[in-house]
Amino acid sequence: MSSRTTDHDLLQWALGALEAPKAVMSPSLDSVAGDASPRRYYRASIQGRPYILVDAPPTTENNRAFVDVRQLLEEAGLKVPTLFAADLQRGHLVLEDLGDRLLLDELDPTTVDAAYSQAFAALLRLARIDTATVSLPAYDQALLMQELQRFPEWFVQSLLGLNLSADEHRLLISVFHTLIASALEQPQVVVHRDFHSRNLMPQPNGELAVIDFQDAVVGPVTYDLVSLLRDCYIRWPESKVEAWVQGYYDTMTSAGLSVGDADKARFLKWFDLMGLQRHIKVLGTFARLYLRDGKAAYLRDLPLVVSYVMDVLNSHIERDPTLASFRQWFDARLMPVIAKQPWANNR
């Protein structure tokens, strides 16, 4: 929201929705840092209680999905913000104020195991949801391909300024089909889709709250796991990541949750290729956020994402000829151009 009139309208709507007495003085709205979407968040104290007021333009935001997914996750036992009021046509929401603590800011080698243990518990709750009873979109071939296409369009062509030949496009399509096939052969569960340290909020009572869940889908079992463990905003030693993945596999099988016919080696391969799909997509997404939406802060996260892509490719070049060709192309065609970018040495 950019105008004072719109701010005023949101506040007046919230006061009415909360049935605040007319004698209550209009509180001030303090802007709260938001996410990558056009949504705007404000903190307001009404009758001595803090709330988050949200303006989510219905022309761009799926507010019905937010409300429905919030209820689904709450019923599954996850801590999500309480919804006090909603006007979906206006795109106005009143939510519980979960504070300002992000898990990202509290992660270090001494805290990460306990924090991720809580996060794994949340993922297990998601995996226990009966997907036959939910009306979420499928993370199907069309959606996976749509996301991957952001990479050539926004990262390679628009950000790096490279024009791709027909042969290069064919190589990318071949890689994309490999990644999509791996995703679709996995057991399908409820997927948050951005389950990472900026969307997890430690609470004073010790709970770990989950936010930014409105894009949830039914998709691959390793998707949220890789979002957490190969987080685009913080990196851990690969030995720890592999140990966490294997531990999560053991927990799932002990709990009777489906890992399909995968042993640990296959589960790790799923995890790797799911991460490759996600990080290729993210390169395009972050480039688009900068070029289209003016969100330059995402550029400083690109080097970590590039390193994730290269690391997975390096570990699979002897197992998959398509990925070996992609790795050779990425290294020869993209890396010299990436090295010249102002953001390339941000990490």
Side-chain angles (χ1 to χ4, degrees), residues 124 128 248-258:
L124 290 171
R128 287 191 178 100
Y248 187 74
Y249 174 94
D250 289 338
T251 302
M252 284 197 73
T253 55
S254 297
L257 296 171
S258 175

Side-chain angles (χ1 to χ4, degrees), residues 164-177 322:
L164 297 177
S165 68
D167 284 343
E168 288 175 312
H169 278 294
R170 280 191 287 271
L171 172 62
L172 292 182
I173 291 299
S174 179
V175 172
F176 295 169
H177 281 306
T322 299

Side-chain angles (χ1 to χ4, degrees), residues 99-113:
D100 295 313
R101 295 169 60 191
L102 298 181
L103 184 61
L104 176 62
D105 301 326
E106 303 184 13
L107 288 175
D108 62 43
T110 68
T111 63
V112 64
D113 285 305

Side-chain angles (χ1 to χ4, degrees), residues 35 37 39 60-62 65-66 69 136-137 139 143 147 150 190-194 211-218 223-224:
D35 50 30
S37 78
R39 290 183 292 270
T60 61
E61 305 307 298
N62 190 342
F66 177 91
V69 175
L136 293 174
Y139 217 169
L143 182 53
E147 291 183 341
R150 297 176 196 169
V190 173
V191 172
H192 176 286
R193 214 162 156 201
D194 269 315
I211 61 171
D212 202 22
F213 41 70
Q214 62 282 339
D215 294 324
V217 292
V218 173
Y223 192 91
D224 282 342

Side-chain angles (χ1 to χ4, degrees), residues 130-179:
D130 183 357
T131 56
T133 66
V134 301
S135 56
L136 293 174
Y139 217 169
D140 57 14
Q141 178 170 342
L143 182 53
L144 288 161
M145 180 64 79
Q146 180 188 88
E147 291 183 341
L148 286 164
Q149 289 290 357
R150 297 176 196 169
F151 170 72
E153 178 183 358
W154 288 97
F155 183 73
V156 178
Q157 297 173 168
S158 298
L159 186 63
L160 299 184
L162 296 175
N163 293 317
L164 297 177
S165 68
D167 284 343
E168 288 175 312
H169 278 294
R170 280 191 287 271
L171 172 62
L172 292 182
I173 291 299
S174 179
V175 172
F176 295 169
H177 281 306
T178 295
L179 300 180

Side-chain angles (χ1 to χ4, degrees), residues 191-262:
V191 172
H192 176 286
R193 214 162 156 201
D194 269 315
F195 195 86
H196 56 67
S197 59
R198 287 184 177 175
N199 286 333
L200 299 172
M201 302 184 68
Q203 298 298 294
N205 66 357
E207 288 186 291
L208 188 64
V210 180
I211 61 171
D212 202 22
F213 41 70
Q214 62 282 339
D215 294 324
V217 292
V218 173
V221 68
T222 63
Y223 192 91
D224 282 342
L225 188 64
V226 83
S227 301
L228 177 72
L229 299 183
R230 290 196 178 132
D231 193 326
C232 295
Y233 310 110
I234 189 169
R235 182 169 196 158
W236 302 104
E238 192 56 30
S239 59
K240 285 192 71 69
V241 172
E242 184 169 328
W244 283 323
V245 174
Q246 292 181 341
Y248 187 74
Y249 174 94
D250 289 338
T251 302
M252 284 197 73
T253 55
S254 297
L257 296 171
S258 175
V259 293
D261 58 354

